[in-house]
Amino acid sequence: MSATDMGELTGAEAIVGTLAACGVTACFANPGTSEMHLVTALDREPNIRSVLCLFEGVATGAADGFARVSGRPAVTLLHLGPGYLNGGANIHNARRAFTPMINLIGDHALGHRSLDAPLASDIAALAAPNSRWLRSADRLEDAGELAAEAFAESYGPAPGPVSLILPADIAWTRGAHLAAPRAPASLHRVEESAIARAADALRRAKQPALLVNGSALLDGGLPALARLQGAGVRVICDTFVGRQARGAGRFAPSRLPYFAEAAIEDLSGVDLLLISGTKPPVAFFAYPNTPGVLSPEGAMIIDLGGPDTDSADTLERLADALGAYTAAPASVRSELPQPSGKLNAHTIGASIARHLPENAVISDDGVTAGLPVYLATAGAARHDWLAQTGGAIGQGMPVAIGAAIARPEAKTVCLTGDGAGMYTVQSLWTMAREALDIVTVVCVNHAYRILKIELARTGAGAPGPAASGMLSLDAPEIDWVKLAEGMGVPAEEAATAEAFDDAFRRAMETRGPRLIAALVPG
């Protein structure tokens, strides 16, 4: 903070200065009139990088990506209730990823709230469902303390989004103070008795499996997973995870299938299912004549802690208790030939696996293309995979922004569909403005292909002209090259496997934002 006397800070300066002292280094903002004093406070805080996003859903998704990669929360700056709602879908995704995030929401001045001005709304009621902690700084003397509390509370456990509402008059009034940072909580440690019970059950089980998420999927936890698999425990990760360390030299757990029938079949015969860092599996949607609960019928279920626990620590101690010291093999480096012929998700995956550099980050919002690319990259260079956790499409490009800012030395790849990408297409402008090293691959099939699949699975009947129109994006077709170039991002189309392989190779060799429109069949 500036040389302003600490007793003469505005409420906005106290909040921004306290967040900086806590360790916040990034703010993703789409401010309005009520946030102007927060904007100027950020202007005077050199330790926080302020990034303008042209839509609140980009800001919240970027904060999600930043925290997934760095492990530290970023702050978003949102304009009253409508601004929060605009960012709500990616706050929902962040909550499902258990991502620490601080949403700073401007509000009308205290005396103006009762006037029912056009932008007035019950912000607390709107923000509550996706906030693990929620306060309004209605007293000047509380501003700094609430900022420190918000930072600490974002860590949970379990970690997640928090919301701090700041009335405009508290923001502009002087007399506030910085608050001392508070130590954030750590993930819970599972009791030794639970570890012993699980080890005893594993010794008796004939076909045990482990469903895992959380810290065990990072580098520090993967050795324990390999040891458990080596001891005969089948290790499975959730379908969608906030962050997973993958690639050659790392142990690769299998992934629970997305469709309920496939997941039930995959778990068939399991007589003991351990749960660590997550919850028992359920179907993404309800379908006629299909169970919603995916746990194997008749199997013993042992809960070793949810997202509020340190699954890496839990499973290392479990492997020790079993005496499991022989690790299952890690993924080996794939040597794939250049793909040729028609372009599809499988050839796209092969090209990404061929050319992905070491320590890259992949932000996946590819919907139907995501799984083939995920499978193809198991033996690629080491990378982090950031999945679509909450089902609200449009997170891929914003999450890539945050990841690239958190780890600027790494190449970030965004995998998205044309339908998903249009939700947050404004992301391209921020990528260009901030000169971020992001390669966005848009799978262009001129359709909501996943919805065509789901229409058949739900038994809704054959689509007529009206239904078909709601599932198609071809009238008019979206020109992604022109869209990207209009926002300052160099772009090109690829219609064959050879053309895509060449375009992706060149993109990996070039710094800065780029977009490849991959023309795949609908």
Side-chain angles (χ1 to χ4, degrees):
M1 191 57 69
S2 70
T4 304
D5 178 77
M6 292 305 156
E8 292 298 322
L9 296 178
T10 65
E13 290 170 337
I15 286 175
V16 169
T18 298
L19 290 175
C22 289
V24 171
T25 59
C27 174
F28 300 96
N30 189 283
T33 302
S34 301
E35 295 76 50
M36 288 298 98
H37 285 80
L38 285 164
V39 169
T40 55
L42 285 163
D43 196 40
R44 293 189 287 271
E45 180 45 73
N47 294 313
I48 296 180
R49 177 177 178 177
S50 298
V51 179
L52 177 62
C53 304
L54 300 186
F55 176 60
E56 291 88 345
V58 177
T60 54
D64 182 7
F66 182 93
R68 291 200 205 187
V69 168
S70 70
R72 295 178 286 108
V75 63
T76 70
L77 187 53
L78 308 175
H79 186 40
L80 291 102
Y84 180 87
L85 289 177
N86 280 343
N90 280 329
I91 298 172
H92 162 84
N93 287 333
R95 180 174 66 86
R96 291 293 182 174
F98 301 98
T99 301
M101 172 192 295
I102 303 164
N103 295 307
L104 189 53
I105 311 164
D107 193 7
H108 287 304
L110 294 172
H112 203 71
R113 284 177 174 174
S114 62
L115 302 182
D116 195 29
L119 270 172
S121 61
D122 188 343
I123 299 174
L126 299 175
N130 278 328
S131 302
R132 70 169 311 279
W133 176 95
L134 170 66
R135 299 288 188 276
S136 181
D138 291 349
R139 300 193 315 163
L140 183 63
E141 58 267 34
D142 294 337
E145 291 294 339
L146 287 175
E149 188 175 342
F151 178 87
E153 287 290 336
S154 71
Y155 283 86
V162 300
S163 296
L164 176 57
I165 302 167
L166 181 62
D169 53 338
I170 302 298
W172 71 53
T173 301
R174 293 197 175 276
H177 298 266
L178 297 177
R182 302 185 184 186
S186 301
L187 294 171
H188 292 313
R189 196 165 193 259
V190 172
E191 292 184 0
E192 200 61 43
S193 59
I195 302 291
R197 176 174 176 249
D200 185 59
L202 281 171
R203 294 185 185 99
R204 298 194 308 270
K206 295 180 178 179
Q207 194 169 333
L210 164 69
L211 183 65
V212 64
N213 204 334
S215 57
L217 296 179
L218 304 181
D219 273 325
L222 291 177
L225 299 185
R227 291 167 58 196
L228 289 169
Q229 179 115 350
V233 182
R234 184 174 173 228
V235 180
I236 309 166
C237 69
D238 278 334
T239 311
F240 302 107
V241 301
R243 179 180 166 197
Q244 182 180 359
R246 307 179 69 238
R250 287 168 166 161
F251 171 72
S254 61
R255 179 177 175 180
L256 189 70
Y258 168 77
F259 292 121
E261 303 93 327
I264 291 170
E265 176 63 26
D266 191 54
L267 295 173
S268 177
V270 168
D271 61 348
L272 170 64
L273 181 63
L274 304 178
I275 309 291
S276 182
T278 185
K279 64 177 186 177
V282 298
F284 212 85
F285 295 105
Y287 298 97
N289 305 313
T290 303
V293 174
L294 304 180
S295 298
E297 187 173 350
M300 175 186 288
I301 311 295
I302 294 183
D303 187 348
L304 284 174
D308 60 336
T309 61
D310 186 347
S311 58
D313 172 77
T314 299
L315 298 175
E316 182 178 20
R317 289 190 287 141
L318 178 60
D320 289 346
L322 281 174
Y325 297 110
T326 302
S331 297
V332 297
R333 186 71 170 95
S334 56
E335 297 294 338
L336 301 176
Q338 179 180 1
S340 60
K342 291 183 178 179
L343 185 62
N344 55 44
H346 298 280
T347 57
I348 289 171
S351 291
I352 292 175
R354 277 163 49 85
H355 302 299
L356 193 72
E358 197 77 15
N359 297 320
V361 178
I362 297 179
S363 173
D364 172 26
D365 196 14
V367 195
T368 51
L371 179 59
V373 177
Y374 178 89
L375 295 174
T377 51
R382 292 187 175 210
H383 62 277
D384 282 341
W385 187 280
L386 314 181
Q388 221 291 19
T389 51
I393 61 175
Q395 82 159 37
M397 288 192 281
V399 164
I401 289 172
I405 288 176
R407 196 186 291 173
E409 74 282 2
K411 179 71 76 172
T412 298
V413 175
C414 171
L415 179 67
T416 188
D418 48 358
M422 286 302 294
Y423 277 62
T424 49
V425 68
Q426 309 91 335
S427 301
L428 295 169
W429 183 88
T430 299
M431 292 178 192
R433 185 186 223 213
E434 300 292 327
L436 301 178
D437 194 15
I438 299 172
V439 176
T440 301
V441 176
V442 184
C443 294
V444 181
N445 55 24
H446 304 300
Y448 286 121
R449 186 168 180 268
I450 185 63
L451 294 185
K452 292 183 177 181
I453 296 171
E454 294 289 15
L455 184 127
R457 286 172 47 75
T458 57
S468 295
M470 286 189 281
L471 307 181
S472 300
L473 305 173
D474 59 354
E477 292 185 351
I478 298 165
D479 190 327
W480 277 91
V481 171
K482 289 182 178 178
L483 274 178
E485 290 177 344
M487 285 185 268
V489 174
E492 61 184 299
E493 284 186 350
T496 66
E498 293 92 337
F500 180 84
D501 190 77
D502 182 58
F504 191 78
R505 175 189 57 77
R506 286 185 280 107
M508 292 299 100
E509 295 171 351
T510 307
R511 293 282 302 176
R514 297 187 67 83
L515 181 140
I516 304 171
L519 306 183
V520 296

